[in-house]
């Protein structure tokens, strides 16, 4: 028999989001994040990325998509609240969707930032 997962109260969720996932927010019992894209192509790439990560994790968000944005909403239905599963999947989604190889010291150059023909994501501005 599986143990009951810890469900975080709103204050705990808010504190954890502020510390670990500053672009996510709590609303109506879900942790949420809106990703801005440059086009339908970018939107589909985000939706497919979230879908792959969610299926691999066996924890499925609600997703709303439009031409230039995707909203991801996470809540543990079985636990009827926010659990570690939601935070862990949100972190993985955040890491993958906002990965920018050009900012790392590696062989991958990343999407050309100065050429709109290849731009598909609107990345968050770095925090000062």
């Amino acid at each position: 028999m599986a143990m009951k997962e810890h469900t975080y109260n709103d204050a705990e969720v808010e504190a954890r989001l502020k510390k670990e996932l500053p672009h996510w927010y709590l609303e109506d019992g879900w942790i949420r994040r809106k990703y801005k894209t440059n086009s339908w192509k970018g939107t589909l790439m985000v939706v497919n990325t979230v879908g792959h990560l969610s299926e691999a994790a066996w924890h499925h968000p609600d997703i709303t998509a439009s031409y230039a944005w995707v909203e991801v909403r996470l809540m543990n239905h079985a636990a009827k609240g926010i659990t570690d599963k939601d935070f862990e999947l949100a972190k993985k989604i955040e890491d993958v969707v906002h990965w920018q190889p050009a900012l790392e010291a590696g062989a991958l150059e990343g999407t050309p930032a100065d050429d709109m023909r290849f731009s598909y994501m609107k990345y968050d501005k770095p925090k000062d």
Side-chain angles (χ1 to χ4, degrees):
M1 187 165 160
M3 291 182 55
K4 183 171 177 357
E5 295 175 80
H6 172 70
T7 303
Y8 291 86
N9 66 40
D10 287 357
E12 291 171 322
V13 171
E14 297 277 5
R16 219 170 144 182
L17 290 176
K18 185 176 181 181
K19 181 180 176 189
E20 300 172 25
L21 294 157
H23 296 286
W24 289 70
Y25 60 96
L26 177 66
E27 184 180 272
D28 298 329
W30 301 80
I31 59 171
R32 301 167 180 248
R33 167 74 148 112
K34 186 179 270 190
Y35 293 100
K36 294 179 182 172
T37 65
N38 282 332
S39 65
W40 184 241
K41 175 179 79 173
T43 293
L44 291 177
M45 291 172 81
V46 171
V47 169
N48 285 324
T49 298
V50 171
H52 169 74
L53 295 172
S54 302
E55 189 64 17
W58 200 245
H59 187 56
H60 304 97
D62 280 16
I63 301 172
T64 303
S66 189
Y67 179 80
W69 58 266
V70 176
E71 184 186 50
V72 179
R73 293 177 306 282
L74 284 161
M75 184 252 292
N76 189 323
H77 296 282
K80 295 180 176 57
I82 307 300
T83 68
D84 287 328
K85 288 181 179 179
D86 302 297
F87 289 109
E88 289 179 24
L89 182 55
K91 283 183 206 169
K92 181 57 75 176
I93 291 168
E94 193 76 357
D95 289 347
V96 174
V97 169
H98 272 284
W99 179 47
Q100 296 180 68
L103 301 180
E104 299 172 358
L108 297 171
E109 61 203 50
T111 307
D114 58 349
D115 192 332
M116 287 305 294
R117 293 176 301 160
F118 304 111
S119 179
Y120 68 93
M121 280 296 300
K122 292 189 178 179
Y123 294 105
D124 297 328
K125 302 283 185 241
K127 297 213 182 234
D128 294 329

